[in-house]
Amino acid sequence: MAKDKKSVFFCQECGYESAKWMGQCPACKSWNTMVEEQISIKKTATVGTAKNRTKTEPVALSKIKLGEDERISTGIGELDRVLGGGIVQGGLMLVGGDPGIGKSTLLLQLCQKLSARDMKVLYVSGEESLRQIKMRAERIGEFTDSLKLLCETDIGHIIDCIEKEEPKLVIIDSIQTMYTEEANSSPGSVSQVREITGTLLKLAKSTGIPIFIIGHVTKEGNVAGPRVLEHMVDTVLYFEGDRHASYRILRAVKNRFGSTNEIGVFEMQSSGLTEVSNPSEYMLDGRPDNASGSVVACSMEGSRPIMIEIQALVCRTNFGFPRRTANGTDYTRVNLLMAVLEKRGRMNLSNSDAYINITGGIRMTEPAVDLGIVTAIISSFKDRPVDNRTVVFGEVGLSGEIRSVSMASQRVKEAAKLGFKRVILPKSCMRSVKGEKFEDVELIYVSDIKEMIDII
């Protein structure tokens, strides 16, 4: 089998391939991201004359039978929620996140849960030695001999070990440290990552072994390597949160076997990651009493309502150009809502600085938090605190109208369960909550921001 080599230029940001170097990538418009790599071209027989091909026949959909063990429960409720009920047999899952956020810790705890049920698990590490993994494992808890560790970066040797051990789950930490002899480039390069992911995908589908891949992220927050990496895998999970804060959010941005709206909430402790079954209670812990600019809003993440505290600080600017800062929400959306308050609410915010913060290190982009942001800005601007037992939610339009949001009754029920006495919601949501009985909860319906200003 003859081999030839040729030079190809790849974009380090998006994986765009070009035969020549270019200053700007045509795909992602990034500058100076094209790198040269040597790739091998294998000359083989054509498809029509290839021998020893595996012949497959089409099968009717009604003839395919599903077993009861198509999904494997992880033993971690928040992880099961994000995956859609558990790990699917033969699935290829990619876990990304900032350095030190807890990706390896989460998957090591997954190994602990499965090995305790006498399920053989293979943990492959290309970044740490066996002793380093042992030190981290002792901090988490006790492990059984069902967990096997392998420190290797050659994907060929790794596949041989997988076929020999036949584990129920494989974890690769991380994809950027692995290499294959099929691609003549350094580990972590575009061609190496793409070739190795394709090999692991073929292995997972042919053997039915689920594989977790840990991937590093770029400064923009995307998984390093070609964009095709996320298209090849079945599930893409992102571990979010500030590494200096205690809370972590596990979010599925792609899931072929479940919803992408669910999130899992964890708290980082000395013994590892702990599940947060009631995020609303944790997010509101330490909330100040009778402080202006502090409002509780309700956001839906999948089927789960989450209460979050929105803080706003509006003060007169000392410069000619007012400053706007948003932490935990979309900066552009905050500017839009402030423009609506100036135009429709007749509030002079053009000479005031505005700082918006969503506490707990969580990021919310649902339109239902619009009314919470607006209420916090009004409260801080007028220096009038909102009652601590009040919850607000609703989408704000450019005309100042407050539009309805989905699952209004579930949001009100969550507020009542946490002891809130008053809920301010869009008037158009009256139909969805009509007929529901909420004890000791006052419902206040508003149709535009002028009514909201009058209430405050």
Side-chain angles (χ1 to χ4, degrees):
M1 185 182 298
K3 290 185 179 180
D4 288 338
K5 295 181 179 180
K6 72 172 184 177
S7 295
V8 178
F9 293 88
F10 289 100
C11 174
Q12 292 179 311
E13 295 293 331
C14 66
Y16 179 81
E17 181 178 339
S18 174
K20 62 180 181 179
W21 184 88
M22 290 179 286
Q24 185 185 36
C25 174
C28 64
K29 307 301 180 183
S30 299
W31 288 92
N32 299 323
T33 58
M34 305 294 289
V35 294
E36 182 180 7
E37 292 185 10
Q38 297 285 338
I39 64 173
S40 298
I41 306 175
K42 295 182 179 181
K43 295 182 179 180
T44 58
T46 60
V47 176
T49 60
K51 297 181 180 180
N52 299 325
R53 296 194 307 266
T54 302
K55 296 183 179 180
T56 57
E57 299 292 337
V59 181
L61 185 63
S62 59
K63 302 295 183 180
I64 302 175
K65 296 182 179 180
L66 298 177
E68 296 181 355
D69 57 346
E70 290 297 327
R71 289 185 182 268
I72 303 173
S73 176
T74 63
I76 305 175
E78 294 296 299
L79 181 57
D80 282 341
R81 174 191 291 269
V82 177
L83 291 174
I87 303 172
V88 177
Q89 300 277 10
L92 186 61
M93 283 72 63
L94 174 65
V95 181
D98 294 332
I101 201 69
K103 304 182 296 295
S104 301
T105 301
L106 176 64
L107 294 183
L108 198 57
Q109 290 183 221
L110 170 61
C111 296
Q112 181 190 31
K113 297 290 184 181
L114 296 183
S115 62
R117 289 149 47 185
D118 293 331
M119 297 181 63
K120 188 181 292 186
V121 181
L122 179 62
Y123 189 99
V124 182
S125 176
E127 299 180 343
E128 297 176 296
S129 65
L130 294 176
R131 292 188 176 183
Q132 290 175 327
I133 301 174
K134 174 69 174 180
M135 293 170 58
R136 188 154 48 88
E138 287 183 344
R139 191 179 75 246
I140 294 175
E142 297 182 358
F143 288 77
T144 65
D145 292 338
S146 297
L147 172 63
K148 298 293 183 67
L149 302 178
L150 176 64
C151 291
E152 181 60 57
T153 56
D154 186 357
I155 194 66
H157 181 60
I158 293 172
I159 292 178
D160 292 339
C161 290
I162 293 174
E163 294 176 347
K164 178 182 178 181
E165 296 290 336
E166 296 183 352
K168 297 295 183 181
L169 178 70
V170 176
I171 294 175
I172 306 294
D173 185 11
S174 66
I175 188 66
Q176 279 82 12
T177 60
M178 304 296 156
Y179 77 93
T180 176
E181 296 179 354
E182 299 295 326
N184 294 326
S185 56
S186 60
S189 62
V190 177
S191 56
Q192 285 279 358
V193 171
R194 184 170 54 184
E195 191 75 26
I196 293 171
T197 305
T199 303
L200 293 175
L201 178 64
K202 182 179 179 181
L203 177 67
K205 301 306 177 185
S206 60
T207 61
I209 300 174
I211 301 176
F212 277 89
I213 299 174
I214 295 179
H216 298 307
V217 297
T218 61
K219 59 183 179 180
E220 288 80 14
N222 299 320
V223 177
R227 200 68 180 179
V228 71
L229 173 62
E230 298 187 11
H231 297 304
M232 294 172 68
V233 300
D234 298 312
T235 304
V236 179
L237 305 178
Y238 274 97
F239 219 25
E240 304 172 356
D242 187 357
R243 59 181 301 182
H244 302 293
S246 59
Y247 299 114
R248 304 286 191 270
I249 306 298
L250 183 64
R251 191 186 305 271
V253 298
K254 174 188 176 182
N255 192 356
R256 290 174 178 164
F257 314 117
S259 173
T260 57
N261 296 323
E262 300 287 353
I263 67 169
V265 184
F266 298 88
E267 182 180 7
M268 179 62 78
Q269 297 181 352
S270 58
S271 59
L273 292 165
T274 304
E275 298 180 64
V276 179
S277 57
N278 190 356
S280 300
E281 184 178 352
Y282 280 81
M283 296 299 174
L284 301 179
D285 188 22
R287 182 169 174 249
D289 294 332
N290 298 323
S292 62
S294 176
V295 177
V296 177
C298 184
S299 176
M300 292 295 298
E301 291 293 335
S303 58
R304 170 194 285 176
I306 297 180
M307 300 293 170
I308 54 175
E309 180 190 358
I310 300 177
Q311 294 178 334
L313 180 62
V314 181
C315 55
R316 187 173 297 276
T317 183
N318 294 323
F319 306 96
F321 188 77
R323 187 175 182 181
R324 307 281 191 259
T325 303
N327 182 28
T329 188
D330 186 19
Y331 170 79
T332 306
R333 189 68 180 175
V334 172
N335 286 333
L336 184 148
L337 295 175
M338 294 188 68
V340 172
L341 283 174
E342 288 199 53
K343 179 71 175 181
R344 308 299 178 184
R346 305 301 179 185
M347 295 178 59
N348 186 15
L349 300 173
S350 59
N351 58 353
S352 299
D353 294 335
Y355 306 91
I356 309 298
N357 177 45
I358 294 181
T359 61
I362 191 171
R363 181 171 180 84
M364 291 293 178
T365 57
E366 193 201 7
V369 302
D370 287 354
L371 189 57
I373 296 174
V374 167
T375 305
I377 294 173
I378 298 172
S379 173
S380 179
F381 181 77
K382 295 184 175 292
D383 199 17
R384 295 179 181 177
V386 179
D387 185 15
N388 288 340
R389 299 174 297 175
T390 301
V391 174
V392 300
F393 61 85
E395 180 183 358
V396 178
L398 294 181
S399 299
E401 79 280 7
I402 300 177
R403 297 177 173 269
S404 63
V405 295
S406 61
M407 301 182 183
S409 59
Q410 286 90 329
R411 300 173 197 258
V412 178
K413 289 179 181 178
E414 180 71 11
K417 185 174 69 174
L418 294 177
F420 290 93
K421 301 299 181 183
R422 188 169 68 161
V423 177
I424 302 176
L425 66 161
K427 192 174 183 179
S428 52
C429 290
M430 188 180 296
R431 290 183 180 179
S432 59
V433 299
K434 188 177 182 180
E436 298 279 354
K437 294 182 179 180
F438 306 105
E439 297 181 359
D440 300 329
V441 177
E442 179 187 4
L443 301 181
I444 301 177
Y445 299 98
V446 291
S447 57
D448 55 43
I449 60 173
K450 293 181 180 178
E451 297 182 10
M452 196 69 222
I453 295 175
D454 294 338
I455 292 174
I456 297 178

